[in-house]
Amino acid sequence: MNLYLVRHAETAHNRNGVGLGRLDEPLTDLGMLQAASVAERFTSVKLDRLFTSPLRRALETARAIGAGYGVPAAEVRDELIEMDVGLTEGMAFSAVRERFPDFAERWAGPEVAKAVMPGGESLEDVALRLAPLVGKLREFPPDAGVAVVSHNFVMKVLLCSLLSVDLSGFRTFEVGLASVSTLSLRGVRVNVVGLNDTCHLLRLNLDHPQRSV
């Protein structure tokens, strides 16, 4: 099975470099262009299922992909919602370090997977709710094509789970806005076909150099 992990396109919070969790932000104008570019990338890709987070920024990206000929309608999966970042919503990380120094220290340490966002979730919490979906993805037939549209932390946790990487290594993976990471799943065997692919955004990045992903 070919699995395509798609991060949503740009929101104002992403543009401004502040934390974004469960706040239901729409895409910016550039984000809508990015979503259209992602959708164009999938015009020649066989997709049998399209799963998405319920948050608007992911839904708008998924619906752009789903508007393509022969692509199935997006199916909302609640477990794909972004990590709950609690009280850090809308904060730059420098402000998080100042207001929540104990959390920031743990987030930077070896037990990062257990570090609970102030008033929110931990990476372990995200992995736990994603586990049934990971099992479902492994059950698809070898010739299936499945796309999953979600968020930064969710994408990184999915990559860790599928590639048997400890959650403490989640920073190993760079997952840019409107990027596509492609995995080939054959039972327990997983091959990496591409990570953080943003080639479809090159023209947009040339047009908006100060807003590149």
Side-chain angles (χ1 to χ4, degrees), residues 25-85:
E25 281 270 290
L27 299 181
T28 61
D29 290 343
L30 176 58
M32 295 300 292
L33 293 174
Q34 291 173 343
S37 294
V38 175
E40 186 176 356
R41 182 200 185 286
F42 279 99
T43 55
S44 60
V45 173
K46 175 182 179 291
L47 282 183
D48 299 291
R49 303 286 289 274
L50 174 59
F51 299 129
T52 181
S53 157
L55 293 177
R56 183 175 174 183
R57 57 193 184 270
L59 276 171
E60 290 177 344
T61 305
R63 285 169 178 163
I65 297 170
Y69 176 76
V71 177
E75 303 174 46
V76 173
R77 301 285 303 221
D78 289 339
E79 62 265 53
L80 288 172
I81 196 169
E82 178 60 305
M83 182 176 180
D84 186 349
V85 301

Side-chain angles (χ1 to χ4, degrees), residues 88-204:
T88 72
E89 190 86 62
M91 297 177 66
F93 196 69
S94 57
V96 173
R97 285 196 300 267
E98 182 176 343
R99 183 175 175 186
F100 305 107
D102 292 341
F103 163 75
E105 182 178 358
R106 196 172 193 198
W107 186 251
E111 293 195 338
V112 59
K114 299 179 183 297
V116 179
M117 291 278 181
E121 288 184 302
S122 68
L123 291 171
E124 286 189 347
D125 292 330
V126 177
L128 185 63
R129 64 175 158 87
L130 286 172
L133 179 60
V134 171
K136 179 180 178 66
L137 293 172
R138 292 186 184 278
E139 294 173 357
F140 278 95
D143 62 344
V146 178
V148 173
V149 183
S150 192
H151 310 270
N152 181 47
F153 288 122
V154 172
M155 294 284 98
K156 291 181 177 182
V157 170
L158 280 174
L159 285 165
C160 286
S161 298
L162 289 164
L163 296 173
S164 300
V165 174
D166 190 87
L167 281 176
S168 62
F170 79 104
R171 294 186 180 93
T172 301
F173 304 107
E174 182 71 24
V175 184
L177 294 168
S179 66
V180 180
S181 295
T182 306
L183 304 178
S184 173
L185 277 62
R186 300 293 185 269
V188 296
R189 179 178 176 182
V190 182
N191 291 328
V192 178
V193 179
L195 284 174
N196 194 37
D197 180 7
T198 57
C199 290
H200 45 281
L201 303 179
L202 288 176
R203 179 182 58 80
L204 292 180

